[in-house]
Amino acid sequence: MSTAKENTSAIWDLIKEIPDPEIPVLTITDLGVIRNVELKGEKVVVTITPTYTGCPAMTQFEDDIVATLKKHKYEDVEIIITYDPPWTTDWLSEEAKLKLQNYGIAPPEEKTTDKKYLIGESKKNVICPQCKSTHTKMISQFGSTACKALYQCQDCKEPFDYFKCI
Ligand SMILES: [Zn+2]
């Protein structure tokens, strides 16, 4: 007989590598979305905190968690969504920020605890993911998705997405 704790860690292992539907280099763990995994008898209860509210990625995550667990014979899966505490970009791991940059998306520059940030426009210089120049400019508050702002590098002229701080 395995303990409940061993079983939940096996479930963590199954779902921790689920990629972000929008940014496939990031996993659900990089984003810090999974809050808790619990076993109630045969039922798996996964508690998640959505990232950007209204981001279409979230319902995709729910579907992917359920599908992944079903594939491994966990038929009864419940997803609980909690907004307390709300997700912020501070939850992104340093590794996640590096992955974002390598993928061509500038990671959030500020900690939301600074309280001085503006949604979409960073007060600090956003670093160009292509040439690492800090000479960059916001072109639009919205990039490829509402979660990102569109920036352009003034040196290499490449446009790029900036992952907004929230
Ligand atoms: Zn550049």
Side-chain angles (χ1 to χ4, degrees), residues 58-111:
M58 256 3 261
T59 49
Q60 187 65 49
F61 267 142
E62 290 178 51
D63 293 347
D64 288 349
I65 291 169
V66 172
T68 303
L69 290 176
K70 287 214 163 137
K71 213 175 4 177
H72 291 88
K73 309 282 176 243
Y74 295 97
E75 295 296 337
D76 194 2
V77 181
E78 187 189 352
I79 307 282
I80 295 176
I81 294 184
T82 176
Y83 290 95
D84 184 25
W87 187 87
T88 80
T89 41
D90 297 352
W91 295 12
L92 287 170
S93 62
E94 287 309 309
E95 194 194 340
K97 290 181 183 176
L98 201 66
K99 283 187 190 172
L100 271 173
Q101 197 173 42
N102 292 337
Y103 188 63
I105 297 174
E109 284 291 330
E110 279 110 346
K111 287 281 179 198

Side-chain angles (χ1 to χ4, degrees), residues 19-163:
D20 182 309
E22 283 175 15
I23 310 164
V25 289
L26 291 186
T27 65
I28 201 165
T29 320
D30 290 328
L31 291 164
V33 161
I34 308 172
R35 300 259 53 80
N36 192 35
V37 173
E38 226 182 323
L39 265 175
K40 289 183 178 165
E42 294 290 293
K43 186 185 198 169
V44 183
V45 182
V46 181
T47 307
I48 60 174
T49 296
T51 55
Y52 296 94
T53 321
C55 224
M58 256 3 261
T59 49
Q60 187 65 49
F61 267 142
E62 290 178 51
D63 293 347
D64 288 349
I65 291 169
V66 172
T68 303
L69 290 176
K70 287 214 163 137
K71 213 175 4 177
H72 291 88
K73 309 282 176 243
Y74 295 97
E75 295 296 337
D76 194 2
V77 181
E78 187 189 352
I79 307 282
I80 295 176
I81 294 184
T82 176
Y83 290 95
D84 184 25
W87 187 87
T88 80
T89 41
D90 297 352
W91 295 12
L92 287 170
S93 62
E94 287 309 309
E95 194 194 340
K97 290 181 183 176
L98 201 66
K99 283 187 190 172
L100 271 173
Q101 197 173 42
N102 292 337
Y103 188 63
I105 297 174
E109 284 291 330
E110 279 110 346
K111 287 281 179 198
T112 53
T113 42
D114 289 349
K115 292 289 173 213
K116 288 185 191 123
Y117 65 97
L118 270 174
I119 293 286
E121 188 164 25
S122 177
K123 297 245 187 213
K124 291 184 190 162
N125 289 325
V126 172
I127 299 161
C128 169
Q130 309 297 334
C131 71
K132 312 289 182 256
S133 164
T134 52
H135 192 204
T136 57
K137 200 174 114 198
M138 189 173 83
I139 304 293
S140 162
Q141 265 211 304
F142 299 101
S144 59
T145 65
C147 339
K148 304 180 200 89
L150 183 66
Y151 269 72
Q152 189 181 26
C153 178
Q154 303 301 292
D155 285 328
C156 73
K157 307 291 177 207
E158 279 297 317
F160 63 91
D161 274 338
Y162 170 61
F163 205 97

